[in-house]
Amino acid sequence: MADKYQTVDWNYGQNPGFNRYREIDVAAGRLGVNLMVSDDVITRAVVYSDFGSEKIAAKLEKALTGTRLTADDLREALGKRWLKKVLDDSDRSAFMTALLIPKQ
């Protein structure tokens, strides 16, 4: 029972319309994202953070939507100049790694 119900994907990713949830701590605070993933492509993303503006969250949602869950595609999506102002290289790398974790 614990293996199924005490996972991040069950507790957060079972939201209507989403099948994955990822959350990491970065230098600026906490960053979370609800994802709808189909055939290894992010079809919908909603970003939550306790830092930055709604404008940054909306831009990150747009950058992630339509992105394949591969290291190269995520690196390109997360390599935007505006995002580098909010997340440093190690934060972006940690976020990318979290997104690449298979559904638990």
Side-chain angles (χ1 to χ4, degrees):
M1 190 164 92
D3 289 338
K4 180 175 181 178
Y5 297 111
Q6 292 183 349
T7 66
V8 170
D9 282 318
W10 175 264
N11 291 313
Y12 295 99
Q14 295 301 318
N15 295 327
F18 297 102
N19 56 13
R20 296 191 190 186
Y21 179 81
R22 298 293 181 260
E23 185 175 75
I24 65 164
D25 290 317
V26 295
R30 185 163 288 240
L31 176 64
V33 61
N34 270 327
L35 302 171
M36 172 54 77
V37 177
S38 179
D39 296 324
D40 288 331
V41 175
I42 300 169
T43 59
R44 186 169 174 221
V46 176
V47 175
Y48 306 92
S49 70
D50 59 5
F51 63 90
S53 70
E54 290 179 21
K55 182 178 177 181
I56 295 292
K59 288 174 87 170
L60 183 53
E61 290 168 4
K62 185 176 179 181
L64 289 172
T65 301
T67 300
R68 294 196 68 76
L69 283 176
T70 67
D72 288 339
D73 288 353
L74 286 171
R75 191 174 296 109
E76 182 178 336
L78 299 175
K80 308 297 183 193
R81 186 175 359 175
W82 55 265
L83 188 57
K84 291 179 181 181
K85 294 177 182 179
V86 180
L87 302 176
D88 64 22
D89 289 341
S90 65
D91 288 339
R92 283 184 288 113
S93 178
F95 187 51
M96 184 179 80
T97 299
L99 293 174
L100 288 171
I101 295 172
K103 186 173 180 178
Q104 300 167 335

